[in-house]
Amino acid sequence: MEYINQFFIDFIDILNEMSPYLMLGFLFAGILKVAFPQKFIDKYLGQKNGKSVLYAALLGIPLPLCSCGVIPTGISFYKSGASKGSSVSFLISTPQTGVDSILVTYSLLGLPFAIIRPFIALLTGLFGGMLTNHFDKDEKEISVQSTDSCCSTEKESDCGCNGECNTETKKKKSPLYTMFKYAFVDFLQDISKWLIIGLLLAAVISVLIPDDFFSAYIGNDFIGMLVILVASIPLYICATSSVPVAAILMMKGISPGAALVFLMAGPATNAATITVLNKVLGKKTMWSYLLSIVTGALLFGLLIDNVFPREWFTMGALHDHMGAHEGHWMLPDWLRWGSSIALVLLIINGYLQKYISGKNKLKSTDPEIAVNKKLVIVNGMSCNHCKNSVEKHIGAMKNITLAEVNLEQKLLQLEGNNIDLQIIKKELESLGFEFGGEVKNKN
């Protein structure tokens, strides 16, 4: 019973520390969504040179995309004309940080960690992109194509959808609506599951693992980094949810350098990302990606532990917040509790919206109603960025007039003329998703 009580106490403490910065981070994510439309992002990723790699890293750092969302986005950039180097730079730098995770890092680990995370994301993204370009010198340049919906063209007759563009795409929402909907509905839905898992995992580690566990049983800081690295590479965890876990691990004795290794390798790598990169961009690119992250994580981990003053990275850690709070300005209790309550309500609302959407969307779809309608299963979609990527690329294909995804049921509704499912399968697999077959009429 004592463990259960302590678990809830630690869980609430961590949530209260994170929630005000999370809410602010979500707001910034919505602002970025409005301020940097897709056309702006695509424009700077097409050339196979150092400048393109730099632009990709700079664009990726503030974007609040986790590992699952960054895969289809990065592959989408590549398929739309971005070079391999700039695509890899984006894929490395983006999941390591985001406006939300930077603020949460400051709240739980202090200012030095919050500053160094985006800096490392930039350098590792640059290194990975340049390394990829070096290994792919013979690759031909790809002409840049627009990745926006066909309905965004000036003349609808030129978009190839025969005047049957999705009416929902035509409706223009106000920037304020787009900002708040993306911030507190779409983006929150994408990371809520992993945010909850990260909080629960942090609270469990806090209760079950004794203090100074790592220093007592591992001792050597570099070996601790290697252990954390090996555990982090196949693990799926987003940049934001990795922060409370890293903070608790530091309380249990791992060095700040090992915590940084977890903050880098945890969000930037997982089994799915490695598999997709190997399949779509090739083995050389996949190894360039992994080598960049592993090298960067170990190098900067060693710098933090052996070169920089260690107190920079320990004085702002979570135990200071949960203990005496010495030397750190605390937010008022009403703001912390209010933010936590608002965050919990928004997460509940997100799951309700998903449930309602899953019940209503496509519920009347019968693939046999007309010869130009098909319903297929798409495995591997886990967030709104995955949904948007599938709808955008499949919807832009020849003979397809509608491509609509039900994310909860993993279904893709297709409308068009002479739909070839083998071509659809090939396109889905090139985006990193799995074609699960057509849903046949039960009658």
Side-chain angles (χ1 to χ4, degrees):
M1 193 66 185
E2 180 183 348
Y3 285 111
I4 296 175
N5 290 336
Q6 191 60 45
F7 169 83
F8 282 109
I9 291 171
D10 289 351
F11 180 86
I12 292 171
D13 282 341
I14 298 168
L15 177 63
N16 281 342
E17 292 298 334
M18 288 179 62
S19 56
Y21 298 93
L22 268 175
M23 297 295 285
L24 185 59
F26 291 151
L27 180 61
F28 283 152
I31 294 172
L32 284 172
K33 177 71 174 179
V34 174
F36 298 99
Q38 197 68 47
K39 284 183 180 178
F40 178 86
I41 295 174
D42 293 345
K43 180 180 177 182
Y44 295 96
L45 305 183
Q47 300 301 315
K48 189 179 176 183
N49 53 35
K51 187 180 290 186
S52 178
V53 170
L54 175 62
Y55 286 151
L58 289 173
L59 287 169
I61 286 171
L63 292 181
L65 285 175
C66 57
S67 296
C68 69
V70 77
I71 297 172
T73 306
I75 298 300
S76 172
F77 288 158
Y78 174 66
K79 289 170 67 66
S80 300
S83 67
K84 278 190 179 181
S86 58
S87 300
V88 167
S89 177
F90 182 85
L91 287 166
I92 290 174
S93 63
T94 305
Q96 290 187 56
T97 63
V99 286
D100 57 319
S101 66
I102 292 171
L103 289 168
V104 170
T105 301
Y106 168 72
S107 73
L108 297 185
L109 295 175
L111 185 60
F113 261 118
I115 292 173
I116 202 170
R117 285 190 76 185
F119 178 75
I120 294 173
L122 174 64
L123 291 183
T124 51
L126 279 172
F127 177 67
M130 299 299 286
L131 191 64
T132 299
N133 281 341
H134 175 74
F135 284 137
D136 285 280
K137 289 180 179 178
D138 298 329
E139 179 192 5
K140 294 181 179 179
E141 294 289 346
I142 306 169
S143 60
V144 179
Q145 305 170 2
S146 172
T147 60
D148 285 330
S149 167
C150 66
C151 299
S152 64
T153 57
E154 292 182 9
K155 293 183 179 180
E156 189 173 294
S157 59
D158 295 334
C159 74
C161 62
N162 302 321
E164 298 182 25
C165 291
N166 192 340
T167 55
E168 188 174 335
T169 307
K170 290 182 180 180
K171 297 177 182 177
K172 289 188 176 180
K173 303 292 186 182
S174 71
L176 198 62
Y177 173 86
T178 301
M179 179 182 74
F180 280 100
K181 183 177 184 297
Y182 179 79
F184 299 111
V185 179
D186 295 341
F187 177 53
L188 183 58
Q189 285 180 5
D190 289 345
I191 74 163
S192 60
K193 173 184 174 182
W194 301 107
L195 180 60
I196 293 169
I197 291 174
L199 286 167
L200 292 173
L201 183 60
V204 168
I205 293 173
S206 177
V207 172
L208 296 183
I209 297 182
D211 291 342
D212 300 325
F213 172 83
F214 286 91
S215 59
Y217 289 93
I218 295 179
N220 186 281
D221 289 345
F222 183 70
I223 294 176
M225 286 184 207
L226 294 178
V227 171
I228 293 295
L229 181 65
V230 171
S232 300
I233 286 177
L235 179 69
Y236 181 95
I237 188 167
C238 72
T240 304
S241 58
S242 67
V243 179
V245 178
I248 294 296
L249 288 173
M250 284 183 64
M251 290 178 60
K252 302 303 177 181
I254 71 167
S255 69
L260 178 71
V261 168
F262 178 77
L263 291 171
M264 285 184 62
T269 64
N270 61 67
T273 303
I274 295 168
T275 302
V276 171
L277 284 175
N278 184 54
K279 185 175 183 180
V280 179
L281 297 181
K283 188 173 291 185
K284 286 184 179 180
T285 300
M286 183 268 290
W287 282 114
S288 298
Y289 175 88
L290 277 179
L291 180 63
S292 304
I293 294 170
V294 170
T295 302
L298 292 176
L299 174 62
F300 282 99
L302 288 170
L303 283 174
I304 285 177
D305 281 349
N306 299 289
V307 177
F308 299 142
R310 184 170 288 211
E311 58 269 17
W312 285 5
F313 301 94
T314 55
M315 63 183 182
L318 181 63
H319 59 267
D320 288 331
H321 296 280
M322 299 174 71
H325 314 299
E326 292 180 2
H328 191 91
W329 179 73
M330 295 296 297
L331 295 173
D333 285 342
W334 65 266
L335 179 59
R336 296 163 68 234
W337 279 99
S339 299
S340 296
I341 292 170
L343 179 61
V344 170
L345 291 176
L346 285 169
I347 290 174
I348 293 172
N349 174 70
Y351 278 102
L352 287 175
Q353 293 292 332
K354 279 186 176 182
Y355 177 78
I356 294 170
S357 175
K359 285 287 186 180
N360 295 335
K361 194 174 182 182
L362 303 179
K363 68 180 181 180
S364 62
T365 301
D366 184 345
E368 301 296 332
I369 289 177
V371 293
N372 65 341
K373 287 189 177 182
K374 290 186 182 292
L375 193 63
V376 299
I377 300 169
V378 182
N379 296 317
M381 298 186 298
S382 55
C383 69
N384 284 295
H385 292 284
C386 302
K387 172 182 178 293
N388 294 337
S389 182
V390 170
E391 290 179 341
K392 178 177 66 177
H393 284 277
I394 301 299
M397 294 177 67
K398 185 178 179 181
N399 299 332
I400 301 296
T401 58
L402 174 71
E404 189 173 13
V405 168
N406 183 323
L407 192 58
E408 284 299 292
Q409 298 179 13
K410 312 299 181 189
L411 295 175
L412 169 63
Q413 178 186 343
L414 298 170
E415 291 185 13
N417 298 314
N418 301 318
I419 299 174
D420 189 334
L421 291 184
Q422 287 302 312
I423 296 177
I424 299 294
K425 176 183 177 182
K426 185 177 179 181
E427 182 70 13
L428 288 170
E429 290 178 346
S430 74
L431 291 170
F433 302 106
E434 179 186 345
F435 179 80
E438 183 180 3
V439 177
K440 298 292 186 180
N441 188 354
K442 295 180 180 179
N443 297 326

